[in-house]
Amino acid sequence: MLWGGNYQGDPDRAFWEFGASFGFDRRLLAEEIAASRAYARALGECGAIPREDARTLDAGLAQVLENARAVPGYLDLDVEDVHSFVETRLGEIVGELAGQGHLARSRNEQTVTALRMYVRGACDRSAAALGALVEALCDKGTEGAEAVMPGFTHVRAAEPITFGFWAGAYAWGFARDRERFQDARRRANRLPLGSGALAGTPLALDRMALARELGFDAPSPNALDAVSDRDFAAEFAFACAQTQTRLSRLSEELIWHSGPEFGFYRLPDAYTTGSSLMPQKKNPDALELLRGKAARVQAAVQRLLVMQKGLPAGYQKDLQEDKEAVFDAADTVLGSLPVATGVIAGLALDRDAMRRAASREELFAATLAVTLARDGLAFRRAHHVVGALVAEAQASGRPLREVARERLQAEHSGVAARIDTIFDPDEAVRAKAAEGGTAPETVRASLATVRGLIRS
Ligand code: ARG
């Protein structure tokens, strides 16, 4: 135990188990040891301990990490947390000197230093995994840059778009999620070490050098803030939650559109499972889990915010609750992204099914109204006229294009003559050529831009 000089007897056993965090914060062992080694060296540099002692501590700490990797059962120790574990094991190697590594240092700064290092790494890994997903969407979208399909609003077919355009919508969203991790990383990357318990350190530590050595951009500017701050954790969890929420939306859409009622594409077998009863089934379990797991990642944000809300400045044990929420959010997103990437890469497009669905007449009503407006009718009026044509077609059971050709003959003969072109999905998407639109050339350019962005 790291304390106990003014205690008699042991802590209550149930409380001890309740309060210990080593069960989960052992995941921060590598970060804790890296930070402790740098701190030991910094103690030597500033003359707080003899350089020889600093070297002994540094080597001992390296040995603890090595043992944790190589010696079976090395982690089976009844300690309070990862910081206690390291000091205890270090004591077995270097004796009482182990305590000197803790000179003027508090676990309050250690725990948040290690967590920041973990979050920084998790931001990098999430950004990389998002990059791979965006690449897959760009590849598949380029493959289907010309493939027309219906675009939806209110889950009702609205206007023809291309598959590439649809894929691009998600690619741009995931590219923003990637940026969000990069932003979160910047704010996480401040070094708390040198904050002491809350008031700073009396030692002449070169905190900037310590920060650089540990890959931080700078030391934290206020010790009390440094030990209290968990907004970097909540922000990381939000980046995870937004990503998982987008994965959930993507999954929902893929589930519908790969089903027999739509049939726009087939999911790769490797990401579906069979039914124990119904031999014909290929269930989209992977996608359902991507969607279902959005709940837990969203909950992580909530956990981190609610955990903080009543806390005064300074370390309180409540803050120990930060780690499991962060780990769970990171594990879930990092487990999800490669699965989503695999599903996208393996989609088998059914261009005919998409084209059939994109050729349904009602998808061209808006284009017809715009064409009439360009033929001299005020747009609101044109909208009304086409609405009436749709109603007539539905009431009479005749195709809209026949009704339109007939009714527009007298006053808009030019439009009537071009009806087949207006009702052609390829024409419809080609017309949306302005930046951001669904025209195949525009889509190809947009996919190339987002690809460039994530590679930069
Ligand atoms: N295990 C603790 C945590 O995760 C470390 C800090 C404990 N500090 C203290 N004074 N109790 O937050």
Side-chain angles (χ1 to χ4, degrees):
M1 221 146 67
L2 304 185
W3 42 270
N6 66 344
Y7 273 83
Q8 266 139 31
D10 291 330
D12 174 77
R13 188 66 210 167
F15 165 54
W16 175 257
E17 282 167 14
F18 174 70
S21 55
F22 190 49
F24 49 87
D25 69 13
R26 63 180 57 193
R27 287 184 60 171
L28 298 175
L29 184 67
E31 288 85 355
E32 169 63 18
I33 287 183
S36 290
R37 290 183 64 185
Y39 190 77
R41 290 193 295 264
L43 289 176
E45 293 293 322
C46 76
I49 61 173
R51 279 173 193 272
E52 183 52 35
D53 286 357
R55 273 193 291 276
T56 307
L57 286 169
D58 191 21
L61 286 161
Q63 186 63 51
V64 172
L65 189 60
E66 177 55 30
N67 290 354
R69 284 181 179 145
V71 180
Y74 195 66
L75 291 169
D76 298 339
L77 207 60
D78 183 24
V79 289
E80 190 180 337
D81 55 23
V82 67
H83 320 292
S84 322
F85 172 82
V86 171
E87 198 173 322
T88 306
R89 288 303 195 193
L90 182 61
E92 294 165 2
I93 299 169
V94 306
E96 201 158 23
L97 181 63
Q100 277 298 78
H102 218 70
L103 182 60
R105 195 163 62 133
S106 162
R107 283 181 296 160
N108 301 352
E109 53 181 328
Q110 287 176 258
T111 184
V112 71
T113 296
L115 189 61
R116 281 177 183 270
M117 291 171 78
Y118 172 85
V119 163
R120 179 173 82 183
C123 284
D124 291 341
R125 287 182 291 145
S126 305
L130 276 161
L133 176 56
V134 172
E135 293 270 3
L137 283 161
C138 288
D139 288 345
K140 200 42 81 172
T142 305
E143 181 189 322
E146 319 258 348
V148 289
M149 66 178 267
F152 297 83
T153 64
H154 309 270
V155 204
R156 276 132 177 87
E159 287 193 276
I161 59 171
T162 60
F163 175 83
F165 180 68
W166 173 87
Y170 282 98
W172 279 103
F174 285 119
R176 283 195 300 280
D177 294 337
R178 179 173 168 276
E179 243 174 66
R180 206 166 278 118
F181 279 109
Q182 293 169 332
D183 289 346
R185 185 198 205 280
R186 264 192 293 282
R187 272 179 293 275
N189 207 27
R190 290 291 176 119
L191 175 72
L193 223 50
S195 294
L198 78 162
T201 179
L203 306 177
L205 288 173
D206 183 346
R207 291 191 68 217
M208 185 51 103
L210 191 54
R212 293 235 176 81
E213 194 178 341
L214 287 168
F216 286 90
D217 296 328
S220 51
N222 179 297
L224 181 55
D225 177 40
V227 295
S228 312
D229 171 17
R230 293 298 183 277
D231 51 58
F232 74 92
E235 187 176 4
F236 168 73
F238 175 73
C240 291
Q242 180 55 67
T243 300
Q244 195 74 33
T245 301
R246 196 181 315 283
L247 286 172
S248 178
R249 297 178 73 171
L250 171 66
S251 299
E252 170 73 3
E253 208 165 343
L254 289 168
I255 290 167
W256 274 107
H257 292 176
S258 62
E261 290 78 9
F262 288 84
F264 294 169
Y265 32 73
R266 262 181 303 106
L267 300 176
D269 275 3
Y271 293 90
T272 63
T273 57
S275 158
S276 54
L277 173 62
M278 300 164 283
Q280 84 283 11
K281 294 273 267 178
K282 285 186 177 172
N283 293 324
D285 289 33
L287 296 170
E288 289 163 348
L289 269 177
L290 290 175
R291 186 179 58 192
K293 285 178 186 291
R296 63 196 294 161
V297 188
Q298 290 171 359
V301 181
Q302 190 73 357
R303 284 169 75 175
L304 287 160
L305 291 176
V306 177
M307 178 269 283
Q308 292 179 69
K309 81 172 266 296
L311 301 184
Y315 179 85
Q316 348 275 326
K317 190 78 164 182
D318 312 49
L319 293 173
Q320 180 169 288
E321 290 288 309
D322 58 1
K323 283 169 275 296
E324 287 164 294
V326 164
F327 293 153
D328 194 59
D331 291 344
T332 307
V333 162
L334 287 166
S336 296
L337 286 168
V339 172
T341 302
V343 172
I344 293 295
L347 289 182
L349 306 187
D350 184 338
R351 292 161 193 270
D352 293 337
M354 286 194 266
R355 176 171 293 278
R356 268 195 306 283
S359 302
R360 280 174 37 200
E361 296 207 300
E362 62 270 28
L363 274 78
F364 302 92
T367 306
L368 182 57
V370 172
T371 310
L372 277 177
R374 294 170 98 178
D375 199 46
L377 219 51
F379 180 68
R380 206 38 77 206
R381 179 86 201 114
H383 187 284
H384 208 79
V385 167
V386 175
L389 293 174
V390 170
E392 183 179 341
Q394 281 168 354
S396 63
R398 297 172 60 209
L400 175 61
R401 78 170 75 189
E402 295 311 326
V403 174
R405 208 189 322 263
E406 197 178 292
R407 294 290 178 209
L408 298 173
Q409 191 56 54
E411 283 173 47
H412 299 278
S413 58
V415 177
R418 278 187 285 133
I419 281 291
D420 285 334
T421 311
I422 295 168
F423 279 66
D424 177 349
D426 292 305
E427 290 292 337
V429 297
R430 262 199 293 276
K432 308 275 174 51
E435 188 177 355
T438 190
E441 280 322 302
T442 310
V443 164
R444 261 191 272 271
S446 172
L447 290 173
T449 305
V450 71
R451 207 196 276 277
L453 195 75
I454 56 126
R455 285 183 182 176
S456 66

